[in-house]
């Protein structure tokens, strides 16, 4: 049991380091390939699919594009589709939804948590 706990802690630390590396690469303006581990974008993006995140400015994003973002409340990068785009006093704000999800996401995406647009590899 102790070994399993240590293994789980090590695995989580490795995932955190990888996540930090992905975000650092994107913030430096370089695209990054990742493997999707969720189901929220089925049928468009399947679990285990490889996608490329292209860093860009949030004001370049249009409705219906798939984007990547990182919320402080979640320990992962989220990949969802833009369903609404608004210009506010604070800048562009995006509303998103997973293709497989019934409800829109409860958080709006700002330039602070936006990472880039997503390209799916077939």
């Amino acid at each position: 049991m102790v070994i399993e706990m240590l293994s789980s802690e090590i695995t989580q630390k490795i995932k955190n380091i990888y996540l930090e590396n992905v975000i650092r690469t994107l913030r430096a303006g370089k695209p990054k390939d990742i493997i999707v581990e969720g189901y929220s974008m089925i049928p468009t993006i399947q679990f285990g699919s490889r996608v490329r995140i292209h860093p860009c400015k949030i004001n370049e994003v249009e409705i219906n594009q798939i984007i990547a973002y990182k919320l402080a409340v979640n320990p992962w990068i989220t990949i969802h589709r833009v369903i609404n785009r608004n210009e506010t006093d604070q800048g562009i704000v995006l509303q998103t939804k997973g293709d497989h999800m019934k409800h829109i996401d409860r958080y709006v995406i700002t330039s602070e948590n936006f990472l880039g647009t997503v390209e799916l590899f077939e």
Side-chain angles (χ1 to χ4, degrees):
M1 178 140 170
V2 173
I3 293 174
E4 289 175 8
M5 287 175 52
L6 287 174
S7 176
S8 176
E9 288 177 23
I10 292 169
T11 300
Q12 190 56 50
K13 285 183 181 182
I14 291 169
K15 284 183 177 184
N16 290 342
I17 291 168
Y18 175 75
L19 179 65
E20 290 170 11
N21 180 300
V22 169
I23 292 170
R24 190 176 318 110
T25 299
L26 293 167
R27 296 278 189 231
K30 299 175 185 172
K32 185 70 176 171
D33 293 359
I34 64 170
I35 303 297
V36 175
E37 292 186 353
Y39 298 95
S40 65
M41 284 299 292
I42 289 174
T44 309
I45 302 174
Q46 302 292 321
F47 184 96
S49 295
R50 186 178 84 161
V51 298
R52 176 167 292 156
I53 303 172
H54 295 276
C56 66
K57 296 184 189 241
I58 195 168
N59 63 351
E60 298 171 14
V61 176
E62 298 176 9
I63 292 175
N64 209 33
Q65 280 188 290
I66 299 172
I67 64 165
Y69 56 92
K70 168 66 177 82
L71 298 173
V73 297
N74 294 333
W76 58 78
I77 292 172
T78 302
I79 295 174
H80 279 175
R81 187 177 304 279
V82 175
I83 60 167
N84 199 4
R85 181 183 190 274
N86 292 308
E87 198 160 334
T88 69
D89 293 339
Q90 290 78 32
I92 300 291
V93 174
L94 305 175
Q95 184 67 55
T96 57
K97 178 182 172 295
D99 288 358
H100 190 67
M101 308 305 285
K102 291 181 181 179
H103 304 286
I104 62 173
D105 297 335
R106 62 181 173 179
Y107 298 102
V108 294
I109 309 311
T110 66
S111 59
E112 287 183 19
N113 48 29
F114 174 74
L115 296 174
T117 58
V118 174
E119 172 189 8
L120 175 64
F121 290 93
E122 297 297 327

